[in-house]
Amino acid sequence: MEKKKVLIVDDQYGIRVLLQEVLSKEGYTIFQAPSGQVALEIIANEKPDLVLLDMKIPGMDGLEILRRIRKIEPDTKVIMMTAYGELDLIKEATALGAITHFTKPFDIDELRMAVHAQMVS
Ligand SMILES: [Mg+2]
């Protein structure tokens, strides 16, 4: 069976490394993007099964990236990573089909399980 692909989109290097480490142990193929431009290229080329998407990214923010994902790969599963107090943004992301969100600093184990749940469904 082909490995499931996860794309991590976050401008913070530390978050990308942490998620890469935890999720690669789960047996997924991991891609990383620090920006919307890089993320959209990877989505077009690799068609990841799931995207972990930071809301606050300099330049193209998470919502804009999510809108563009919906245009190129509408069925991609997306989980948002947000900061405290981003309720309006979270509502918009939900309207754009984001599955759920995790507020930073999140419990890495909860996030790992949420990703797993999506991969088996
Ligand atoms: Mg950020």
Side-chain angles (χ1 to χ4, degrees):
M1 203 171 77
E2 205 179 325
K3 279 186 175 184
K4 297 279 190 179
K5 297 178 182 178
V6 178
L7 169 62
I8 300 157
V9 187
D10 200 302
D11 56 307
Q12 281 181 273
Y13 175 75
I15 299 264
R16 297 200 307 275
V17 168
L18 171 69
L19 290 172
Q20 161 105 40
E21 190 178 313
V22 170
L23 294 174
S24 59
K25 280 184 197 152
E26 299 288 299
Y28 310 131
T29 300
I30 310 293
F31 300 90
Q32 288 187 31
S35 69
Q37 288 300 345
V38 175
L40 292 169
E41 274 173 38
I42 293 171
I43 287 159
N45 294 332
E46 300 291 343
K47 304 189 181 359
D49 299 281
L50 185 139
V51 180
L52 290 169
L53 180 55
D54 183 27
M55 188 70 89
K56 281 233 165 68
I57 299 179
M60 200 189 302
D61 71 3
L63 272 186
E64 183 57 27
I65 296 168
L66 179 54
R67 278 188 204 103
R68 294 187 189 205
I69 291 172
R70 287 291 170 253
K71 284 182 187 157
I72 54 175
E73 287 293 329
D75 297 333
T76 307
K77 293 176 174 178
V78 176
I79 293 176
M80 302 301 295
M81 299 183 286
T82 62
Y84 180 75
E86 292 182 335
L87 275 181
D88 288 347
L89 297 175
I90 291 163
K91 274 185 201 163
E92 278 191 61
T94 304
L96 288 163
I99 295 162
T100 186
H101 73 277
F102 282 83
T103 304
K104 293 178 180 176
F106 46 76
D107 181 326
I108 188 70
D109 213 43
E110 281 179 22
L111 189 135
R112 182 183 61 76
M113 288 187 287
V115 169
H116 177 75
Q118 291 305 319
M119 292 311 194
V120 295
S121 69

